[in-house]
Amino acid sequence: MSFHYAREKRKFDKEWEQLHREYVAAGMDENAITKMKAFDWGWFCSRRVYANHTQELPEESSFDEDKHSTLFRKFAALSVAFEQHQPSGRYAWVESIEDEKLYQQLSSLSKKDLELVTLIAMDGYRQSEVARMWGCSRNAIYKRIQKIKRILRNG
């Protein structure tokens, strides 16, 4: 999908007219409003550059030499085909565990506990970040992790 500059610019200007009125009504000074608009304009321009320099790749299953872009044809050899038996999904990493006891223990965890383990161990989030995402305290996350550790140790 291409970036229609004129339409997007009109939309940007219209939104900023409204924002300008709201900021003035809220008591912001003109200098601060100008700086905010300049920041938003920079973001608008970067979106335009990104949209102009990217293109979607079509589904590989419907590959047709004549219909696809030169970019897709050029890099078609770099596409990857996954094996049928390869696990997929958010918790596929659990299926790759070879230790049967650990696999059973992880499989027995609730969805919420498994999500917590996935967020921390696989996605690399910190306890404080997970607490913020879940809307709870860091201590609640810490206690839940301790519970999971007990389950995995005693299993």
Side-chain angles (χ1 to χ4, degrees), residues 2-154:
S2 65
F3 189 89
H4 191 287
Y5 178 77
R7 181 179 53 228
E8 296 297 321
K9 174 73 167 92
R10 280 192 304 271
K11 194 175 1 173
F12 176 84
D13 289 339
K14 186 177 178 182
E15 288 173 7
W16 255 98
E17 285 176 23
Q18 177 64 30
L19 284 172
H20 188 270
R21 285 191 296 271
E22 290 175 12
Y23 291 152
V24 168
M28 283 181 79
D29 66 72
E30 210 50 51
N31 188 29
I33 296 172
T34 305
K35 287 180 181 180
M36 289 180 70
K37 184 174 183 180
F39 176 83
D40 284 353
W41 177 248
W43 183 78
F44 173 86
C45 291
S46 71
R47 271 190 28 230
R48 178 174 181 231
V49 168
Y50 176 80
N52 285 336
H53 289 90
T54 58
Q55 54 183 310
E56 292 183 25
L57 293 177
E59 292 291 324
E60 187 175 346
S61 61
S62 63
F63 184 74
D64 182 7
E65 283 286 331
D66 300 329
K67 292 181 182 176
H68 291 9
S69 69
T70 311
L71 180 67
F72 188 78
R73 287 192 301 268
K74 181 178 180 180
F75 294 107
L78 299 177
S79 65
V80 176
F82 293 102
E83 297 176 17
Q84 291 290 16
H85 70 279
Q86 189 170 12
S88 63
R90 177 92 175 120
Y91 309 116
W93 63 272
V94 175
E95 296 175 22
S96 67
I97 294 177
E98 294 178 2
D99 183 345
E100 187 62 32
K101 184 179 177 185
L102 180 59
Y103 172 77
Q104 292 298 329
Q105 291 167 332
L106 285 169
S107 297
S108 70
L109 291 176
S110 69
K111 285 284 189 193
K112 191 158 186 159
D113 289 343
L114 194 55
E115 178 65 15
L116 177 60
V117 173
T118 303
L119 286 169
I120 291 176
M122 303 309 291
D123 296 343
Y125 285 100
R126 295 185 184 141
Q127 291 179 23
S128 58
E129 294 170 323
V130 175
R132 219 179 349 245
M133 287 189 308
W134 286 6
C136 62
S137 69
R138 195 172 132 223
N139 193 38
I141 298 297
Y142 173 80
K143 287 181 180 181
R144 191 171 211 112
I145 290 172
Q146 294 306 314
K147 181 189 99 173
I148 294 169
K149 284 181 180 179
R150 277 193 307 278
I151 291 171
L152 296 178
R153 263 190 237 121
N154 300 332

